Amino acid sequence: MIEDKNPQRTSIAQLGEFGLIDHLTKNFEINQPSTLKGIGDDAAVLDFKDKKVVVSTDLLIEGVHFDLAYMPLKHLGYKAVVVNVSDICAMNAKPTQITVSVAVSNRFPLEALDELFAGITHAAREYNVDVIGGDTTSSQKGLIISITAIGEADEEEIVYRNGAKQTDLLVVTGDIGAAYMGLQVLEREKQVFQVNPNSQPDLDAYTYLIERQLKPEARKDVRTLLHVLEIKPTSMIDISDGLSSEIMHLCKQSKVGCNLYEDKLPIDPTFINVCEEFNIDSTTVAINGGEDYELLFTIAMEDFEKIKANPNFTIIGHMTQESEGIHLVTRANTKIALKARGWDALTQ
């Protein structure tokens, strides 16, 4: 495939704000019965009848949350939706709608925004959420994306962070740490490119890790899986800032302690190999990395038999009395106080 050296570049100013909105939103479809009115009025209109509504908002800012040197705009649009849908899934709710707001500088042509919104449209279809509104404005600092996600659930289905009890089991979906190592690979290749722009990286060995960073997936399936198993978590959170940080959130909100077992951490073999390549301790990365968007939750001890052999879940620890503290139990059976070394946007 021959690269187009002179791609079309349409100035956003040619369309104006309303023309731009019409252009960017023309592919969004309405699929949710709770969406009475989407884009096109002063506000969207939703009807959830006897359902409870859950809402979450995230900002993604260029230079803080993403680097366009290696983040394709289509992937960025997809990821922006995923990180918000993940918050709804972490409430054990069904995502139904999103709003999308972007602030963009004049260095971005219309075609760049088309790529961004192609990713948003793909994610909206994949997760069956309606795009029902948002805002567009200019920015002097690059690209800023704000997405608000809305979901629904029966009141008895909703899971909060504050319900964990002593002796509850700590469970995680999927594997952890891969997204962080994918970021390390991309950052390394960026530095190589800056030194030698003619170098062509061979990333085949890192495909899984890079995909976990550039195109993560929210665990929309977990709500159904748990329902089939007849398990309702006692507390739940998504892993965005790192496993250790999320465990501490659950413990603080639930007023419990925790023992996390190093030998139970679910990590991918590729992840281990690349940690060795970078000379980084795999356990340190697994518990602090972040951006995995897996779900971390607690269940009552009596649900152990229901979940123990399920390949979607791994029991990685158990909750204790608050006075016992929060610890990592190493393979050598020593206890180390767990600290939150994961992502904190205000300290980056």
Side-chain angles (χ1 to χ4, degrees):
M1 189 172 179
I2 300 173
E3 181 182 359
D4 185 357
K5 299 296 184 181
N6 296 292
Q8 184 177 356
R9 186 177 174 88
T10 306
S11 170
I12 294 173
Q14 288 180 227
L15 283 78
E17 181 181 1
F18 300 118
L20 177 62
I21 292 171
D22 288 342
H23 177 87
L24 294 177
T25 61
K26 63 186 178 184
N27 294 321
F28 294 140
E29 303 169 348
I30 299 300
N31 296 303
Q32 294 290 337
S34 53
T35 306
L36 300 186
K37 178 66 178 178
I39 296 168
D41 218 304
D42 291 303
V45 181
L46 309 178
D47 179 11
F48 288 92
K49 296 183 171 62
D50 57 348
K51 298 281 188 179
K52 300 300 179 185
V53 180
V54 294
V55 182
S56 181
T57 298
D58 268 314
L59 273 172
L60 294 177
I61 299 174
E62 184 179 356
V64 177
H65 300 100
F66 60 88
D67 186 337
L68 291 178
Y70 49 72
M71 170 63 86
L73 284 164
K74 189 172 183 178
H75 285 73
L76 177 61
Y78 191 92
K79 184 173 181 177
V81 175
V82 164
V83 301
N84 284 274
V85 167
S86 181
D87 284 332
I88 303 302
C89 295
M91 301 296 294
N92 202 36
K94 172 189 172 186
T96 49
Q97 289 91 6
I98 59 171
T99 66
V100 179
S101 297
V102 295
V104 61
S105 70
N106 59 12
R107 87 173 197 269
F108 292 91
L110 177 63
E111 288 73 20
L113 283 184
D114 280 342
E115 279 291 292
L116 179 71
F117 272 74
I120 292 171
T121 303
H122 181 53
R125 289 172 180 161
E126 181 70 23
Y127 288 94
N128 194 26
V129 293
D130 293 339
V131 182
I132 59 167
D135 194 17
T136 57
T137 189
S138 60
S139 164
Q140 296 181 342
K141 299 295 183 181
L143 179 61
I144 300 170
I145 307 170
S146 175
I147 291 185
T148 296
I150 301 164
E152 66 176 33
D154 292 331
E155 186 170 9
E156 62 272 15
E157 293 177 315
I158 298 175
V159 178
Y160 301 94
R161 296 180 182 181
N162 64 356
K165 304 289 191 297
Q166 297 173 26
T167 75
D168 278 359
L169 301 175
L170 185 65
V171 185
V172 70
T173 63
D175 61 83
I176 54 176
Y180 178 85
M181 288 313 299
L183 179 62
Q184 300 316 298
V185 171
L186 291 167
E187 286 285 352
R188 180 183 67 183
E189 296 306 322
K190 175 187 173 182
Q191 292 172 14
V192 170
F193 178 80
Q194 289 172 339
V195 173
N196 180 12
N198 294 319
S199 71
Q200 293 294 318
D202 182 4
L203 300 176
D204 287 347
Y206 310 105
T207 300
Y208 177 67
L209 305 183
I210 291 172
E211 186 174 272
R212 291 280 280 174
Q213 171 59 220
L214 297 185
K215 190 177 177 289
E217 299 292 352
R219 294 305 302 261
K220 64 175 182 177
D221 58 324
V222 169
R223 183 171 183 259
T224 301
L225 289 170
L226 292 173
H227 179 75
V228 170
L229 293 171
E230 298 182 339
I231 294 174
K232 181 187 175 182
T234 53
S235 67
M236 185 151 61
I237 192 170
D238 76 328
I239 303 176
S240 55
D241 300 330
L243 179 66
S244 58
S245 295
E246 314 305 2
I247 288 174
M248 295 181 79
H249 283 311
L250 291 185
C251 289
K252 180 179 178 181
Q253 293 287 325
S254 298
K255 295 182 171 56
V256 293
C258 179
N259 285 330
L260 169 68
Y261 292 88
E262 182 181 19
D263 62 351
K264 301 297 184 185
L265 294 173
I267 48 182
D268 187 83
T270 304
F271 164 78
I272 297 173
N273 293 338
V274 177
C275 283
E276 291 175 352
E277 180 184 335
F278 277 73
N279 196 27
I280 299 176
D281 179 67
S282 60
T283 297
T284 300
V285 175
I287 66 176
N288 295 303
E291 288 201 294
D292 292 305
Y293 300 104
E294 297 292 345
L295 294 180
L296 176 73
F297 58 93
T298 54
I299 62 171
M301 183 71 77
E302 50 264 34
D303 286 331
F304 170 73
E305 292 295 331
K306 299 176 184 177
I307 208 172
K308 67 176 183 178
N310 194 297
N312 296 286
F313 307 114
T314 305
I315 299 170
I316 59 173
H318 63 87
M319 315 315 279
T320 64
Q321 293 182 12
E322 185 177 20
S323 59
E324 290 188 25
I326 307 169
H327 293 93
L328 173 70
V329 181
T330 69
R331 292 184 179 90
N333 204 32
T334 58
K335 280 188 174 184
I336 300 173
L338 203 61
K339 295 182 180 179
R341 293 191 177 93
W343 170 261
D344 183 344
L346 299 182
T347 63
Q348 302 305 310

